[in-house]
Amino acid sequence: MSCRASVAASTREQIHVWLLSAYHADSHAAWANWLTATFPSIDWQMLTLPGRHFAWRIRGNPLSWLDALPERRPDLIMATSMVDLATLKGLHPQLHDVPSWLYFHENQFAYPQSQRQFRSLDPCMVQLYAALAADRLLFNSRFNRDSFLAGIEALMQRLPDHQPAGLRARLESRCDVLPVPVRSIKAGKSRDCRLIVWNHRWEYDKAPDRFAAAMMALDALGVDFRVALLGKRSESAPEALVRIRKQLGHRIIADGHLPRDEYESLLGRAGIIVSTALHEFQGLSVLEAASAGARPLVPDALCYAEQYPAEYRYRPDDPKALSEKLQHWLTGTLPPQFRPDDWLVPSLAPKWKGLINSIEKR
């Protein structure tokens, strides 16, 4: 747990904002750091909790922060959607009238669970109560917003009685879509059009087994390609990764976590970036690779449907769709490069500036 004040000295004229990040994983941290660095005129006070122990973190963050909240009352609370904002305000009555914004990197209504997980409504209820306690709800994609609202509507229909009327409409009026700005990566001087990159976590929600199956199918067809296996993985290698290493070792040009400069260099010369995700609310890793010139090949679902034209998507319900499209690209001509400008810093920074400028001194 950490509590960090902004480098800029606090003054009476500065707007004082608490930035609460209850599951400070990579993408959450990158967003928070970008925000505080880009808008130094705000007197930020950041409170974070480590991105681990999910069940405890989403339910217990008000307890973890019980004696750690700053004494100075903020002009605004900006919290990620992992923060149990309703409980936090209930435990600290002095915060009851502080304007609060909730930023959704994800929502638990649309988050797939593995067979090993106990299916509980608790994470969904935390986010629902937090949304009701917030004045403004910000989402990183339309898919994130729409699946959250649809999830609430579906939940209300399942409950036995005494559901509030018009809950979706009540929350919908507070919603805005404002993605995390992605810093573009420079394209390399040369490009290996047959280099396929996987740069996702090797976990069930990213479906690495589907990626492995597609790579095996390409290999069986005799297609010429190379593969870079990036992204975080556990100490014990996932089965999908073991399979690729065992059968396609001669095609692997990178395997593991690379230093940032090497990672960007690899993306800058890659031909294709692939996703097989079962959930994706903004897809930062694909956006980065696409900004560097790699052709994205993503499921026709989730946030991808609003980001990439149809020619860069494949049907996720067809087991052969990914390998067939890869074969077509690798044995023919790659589609034109697609630059996701609407999701990059130059397009989004002005929108964030407008949001930050709307914060009022109290």
Side-chain angles (χ1 to χ4, degrees), residues 172-249:
E172 195 165 12
S173 65
R174 306 178 195 179
C175 293
D176 290 295
V177 174
L178 191 55
V180 174
V182 176
R183 183 178 63 83
S184 61
I185 293 176
K186 185 178 180 181
K189 294 181 179 180
S190 61
R191 189 167 302 280
D192 182 351
C193 293
R194 298 186 181 279
L195 174 57
I196 301 170
V197 170
W198 166 275
N199 60 347
H200 315 281
R201 287 181 288 104
W202 290 79
E203 296 181 15
Y204 75 95
D205 57 310
K206 303 301 183 184
D209 54 322
R210 295 186 180 184
F211 175 72
M215 296 303 99
M216 303 302 172
L218 287 179
D219 184 63
L221 291 168
V223 177
D224 179 24
F225 70 95
R226 286 159 289 285
V227 64
L229 307 174
L230 310 179
K232 287 188 174 182
R233 70 282 306 267
S234 58
E235 291 184 7
S236 58
E239 182 181 350
L241 181 56
V242 172
R243 287 177 57 206
I244 296 175
R245 285 172 173 172
K246 182 177 180 180
Q247 299 186 40
L248 305 179

Side-chain angles (χ1 to χ4, degrees), residues 281-299:
F281 295 99
Q282 186 174 344
L284 299 179
S285 60
V286 178
L287 289 168
E288 281 189 337
S291 77
R295 277 65 165 182
L297 188 51
V298 297

Side-chain angles (χ1 to χ4, degrees), residues 20-33 46-54 57 80 82 105-106 111 180 201 203 232 284:
L20 308 182
S21 180
Y23 197 83
H24 209 55
D26 292 346
S27 60
H28 295 210
W31 165 78
N33 291 336
M46 193 191 306
L47 275 73
T48 68
L49 294 169
R52 57 176 182 263
H53 308 311
F54 169 82
R57 201 65 77 222
T80 66
M82 286 284 291
H105 291 276
E106 48 74 35
Y111 208 101
V180 174
R201 287 181 288 104
E203 296 181 15
K232 287 188 174 182
L284 299 179

